[in-house]
Amino acid sequence: MPDIRNIVILTGAGISAESGLATFRGPDGLWEGHRVEDVCTPEALARNPALVHRFYDERRAKLTEVTPNAAHAALAELDRAWPGELLIVTQNVDDLHERAGANRMLHMHGELMSALCAACGTSKPWHDALPPETPCPFCNAPALRPDIVFFGEMPYEMDRIDAALRDADLFVSIGTSGAVYPAAGFVQTARHIGARTLELNLDSSAGSIYFDETRTGPASVLVPDWVKEVLQL
Ligand code: APR
């Protein structure tokens, strides 16, 4: 393996599947049971806030029933042990990476365990149900909403992600279908700057053609094996 110093890792719903959290596009995926237009757009929130808040309340409550799996644990170990730059960019809104001990990470699509004020833009940790029109503790407007990046909204920390990708020697994509941009385009940015690219997924994905290598299998097996390999570099 050529000299690897800086690693960017993109994770998707597949890394949390073995913890018992539904993915979006697989069999009985979340988008099988709900239309994106009904629960994951600003228009949906304006049209039916009770439905949207309830959808995220149910997913937030589910987090108390699940635990990180071996893939989350392996990435947290890599985060602790890796001497170079490392950034875990997760599309997931669950808190399993943090609970496994990961630090050098960010949630580009927001977090279930956070509430955002639509009036003043402040967010705060939130672990319980979040009814519509909950007053913001900072500005008092009845405007707290789930801190989730809806379709049509700008993902979080894109500047930080772009900077990390520009310096990457290795880009690893884990458990994502490559269906949603801008995340689906990160592999092409990585290739463009000359980084090696590796995909770890249960099956090949829409983006597999862009990767130097795709390994198929469950994340709980592939990720610990890969972390062992990269720590022996
Ligand atoms: N191990 C590894 N990969 C898995 C596993 C597993 N045990 N189970 C499923 N996968 C893979 C599937 O093969 C699929 O490629 O995880 C991927 C899940 O794809 P999606 O359900 O589309 O989830 P994701 O790619 O994270 O979706 C991206 O779309 O709806 C938006 O904001 C939402 O962040 C989400 C984004």
Side-chain angles (χ1 to χ4, degrees):
M1 183 92 78
D3 182 31
I4 304 282
R5 274 204 49 71
N6 302 340
I7 304 177
V8 175
I9 300 167
L10 174 68
T11 66
I15 199 170
S16 298
E18 291 163 90
S19 294
L21 292 181
T23 61
F24 292 95
R25 294 171 183 83
D28 64 37
L30 281 168
W31 296 150
E32 298 307 311
H34 302 78
R35 290 175 352 115
V36 167
E37 301 78 2
D38 293 341
V39 291
C40 195
T41 63
E43 295 76 13
L45 181 64
R47 184 174 60 242
N48 191 341
L51 174 69
V52 173
H53 280 249
R54 194 164 53 247
F55 177 68
Y56 293 99
D57 284 353
E58 287 165 5
R59 292 179 63 195
R60 191 178 305 109
K62 175 79 177 163
L63 289 187
T64 59
E65 301 166 17
V66 299
T67 54
N69 64 57
H72 298 105
L75 290 189
E77 182 201 345
L78 179 63
D79 184 11
R80 277 190 296 275
W82 187 252
E85 295 296 313
L86 181 131
L87 181 62
I88 300 168
V89 179
T90 189
Q91 300 173 90
N92 299 340
V93 293
D94 64 55
D95 59 350
L96 296 178
H97 280 302
E98 296 89 325
R99 286 165 54 191
N103 284 306
R104 293 185 279 182
M105 66 165 289
L106 64 87
H107 286 270
M108 65 178 291
H109 288 166
E111 301 175 62
L112 285 169
M113 292 300 200
S114 172
L116 172 70
C117 177
C120 71
T122 316
S123 58
K124 78 179 297 289
W126 199 275
H127 293 223
D128 308 313
L130 177 64
E133 303 192 10
T134 299
C136 169
F138 303 98
C139 76
N140 211 31
L144 280 190
R145 56 166 271 190
D147 191 3
I148 300 291
V149 177
F150 291 149
F151 283 93
E153 295 181 327
M154 177 60 93
Y156 286 134
E157 302 204 63
M158 286 304 296
D159 292 344
R160 185 176 167 201
I161 297 169
D162 285 339
L165 283 171
R166 271 200 304 278
D167 288 344
D169 306 303
L170 174 61
F171 173 74
V172 185
S173 172
I174 303 172
T176 180
S177 61
V180 175
Y181 285 80
F186 292 168
V187 61
Q188 295 173 62
T189 303
R191 288 176 66 84
H192 179 70
I193 57 100
R196 278 183 59 76
T197 55
L198 169 66
E199 180 183 40
L200 307 178
N201 200 311
L202 193 60
D203 307 306
S204 59
S205 71
S208 292
I209 49 167
Y210 300 115
F211 286 87
D212 296 319
E213 183 188 359
T214 291
R215 298 178 189 173
T216 52
S220 64
V221 173
L222 293 182
V223 179
D225 287 352
W226 170 69
V227 166
K228 278 192 202 79
E229 186 184 301
V230 84
L231 285 178
Q232 280 157 12
L233 284 182

